[in-house]
Amino acid sequence: DTTVKQNPRYKLARVGKPVNLICSQTMNHDTMYWYQKKPNQAPKLLLFYYDKILNREADTFEKFQSSRPNNSFCSLYIGSAGLEYSAMYLCASSTFNYAEQFFGPGTRLTVL
Amino acid sequence: QQQVRQSPQSLTVWEGETAILNCSYEDSTFNYFPWYQQFPGEGPALLISIRSVSDKKEDGRFTIFFNKREKKLSLHITDSQPGDSATYFCAAYNTNTGKLTFGDGTVLTVKP
């Protein structure tokens, strides 16, 4: 089973409100990633967890938080959503330093 | 400066023709290049990949040609089918960082 699941698939949020997105995988991968994807742009890495160690990209450090309560689950948290957060959020998992990443279907976030 | 570039942004071919999708990169430390295929409503899925020690990788109707000196690669889809209509992402992997860098994608449409 190479399934990565994401919930919800669609999320509507108000400006200034928090947003929490969930990802799960059953492949026992040690690494889980979150990407932001906007139309006609490349998926942009936001952060990743290697085991229990969180690595956040420098240019999005202040904007996103994450938690990984166990090996299978990982969340992406936005404390105060802005219009610029509207995007598709993709979760992926892999074995660290093994390049193939398995992606979930994504959560489409719309901030109004 | 974008590390991975793809062209064209969109491509339309007729069924049975060969589609050629191009990719170039900047960082010479990239050593593994996966191509991902994404259908609407789904996450990207690994299609085919190549390591920098090879100059060609073939898998059925899909072939990657790789030119390390010029930092270019291309994905050839022979005998294109309407079911191949999707967005194709070229990505580059850096073993040192464990990160994938994606291009903006090429939207392929195969007309019957």
Side-chain angles (χ1 to χ4, degrees):
Chain A
D1 182 11
T2 57
T3 302
V4 177
K5 297 182 179 179
Q6 292 188 240
N7 287 297
R9 293 294 309 275
Y10 302 91
K11 176 72 178 176
L12 190 63
R14 296 293 182 186
V15 170
K17 297 298 185 182
V19 176
N20 197 44
L21 308 180
I22 304 296
C23 177
S24 65
Q25 53 94 9
T26 55
M27 295 170 279
N28 202 32
H29 285 157
D30 55 14
T31 307
M32 296 184 74
Y33 307 82
W34 281 100
Y35 292 84
Q36 182 189 64
K37 172 78 173 69
K38 294 187 175 183
N40 300 317
Q41 295 183 18
K44 175 182 170 60
L45 180 66
L46 300 176
L47 53 87
F48 68 95
Y49 259 103
Y50 167 56
D51 195 15
K52 298 186 188 303
I53 302 170
L54 174 61
N55 299 270
R56 287 187 285 177
E57 292 296 285
D59 57 347
T60 55
F61 192 89
E62 300 290 335
K63 297 183 176 181
F64 299 94
Q65 259 293 359
S66 183
S67 66
R68 192 177 186 187
N70 56 55
N71 191 55
S72 301
F73 288 86
C74 188
S75 68
L76 181 70
Y77 181 75
I78 301 168
S80 177
L83 295 175
E84 71 277 15
Y85 287 86
S86 291
M88 176 73 77
Y89 289 86
L90 296 166
C91 175
S93 70
S94 76
T95 298
F96 185 70
N97 227 17
Y98 183 69
E100 182 177 2
Q101 296 182 13
F102 295 86
F103 283 83
T107 295
R108 183 172 296 280
L109 173 64
T110 302
V111 182
L112 300 175
Chain B
Q1 182 182 12
Q2 192 162 3
Q3 292 288 317
V4 178
R5 296 180 179 176
Q6 291 187 246
S7 64
Q9 186 175 4
S10 63
L11 176 65
T12 299
V13 299
W14 293 102
E15 183 176 356
E17 292 184 334
T18 296
I20 300 176
L21 289 65
N22 300 303
C23 180
S24 63
Y25 62 96
E26 299 289 331
D27 190 341
S28 58
T29 63
F30 290 142
N31 57 9
Y32 174 76
F33 302 88
W35 284 82
Y36 282 82
Q37 180 188 54
Q38 184 178 24
F39 295 107
E42 300 179 10
L46 180 65
L47 178 66
I48 186 173
S49 61
I50 192 168
R51 297 199 176 274
S52 58
V53 294
S54 301
D55 55 13
K56 181 181 177 181
K57 176 76 173 291
E58 197 169 348
D59 185 357
R61 296 185 295 108
F62 302 90
T63 303
I64 300 175
F65 294 93
F66 180 65
N67 186 321
K68 187 173 183 177
R69 183 179 60 83
E70 295 187 6
K71 298 181 184 174
K72 292 181 178 179
L73 55 161
S74 60
L75 174 67
H76 292 225
I77 307 173
T78 57
D79 188 25
S80 296
Q81 302 297 309
D84 296 331
S85 297
T87 299
Y88 292 81
F89 292 100
C90 172
Y93 184 75
N94 186 322
T95 304
N96 295 331
T97 63
K99 297 178 184 178
L100 272 177
T101 301
F102 285 85
D104 289 345
T106 293
V107 178
L108 174 66
T109 302
V110 182
K111 291 189 173 182

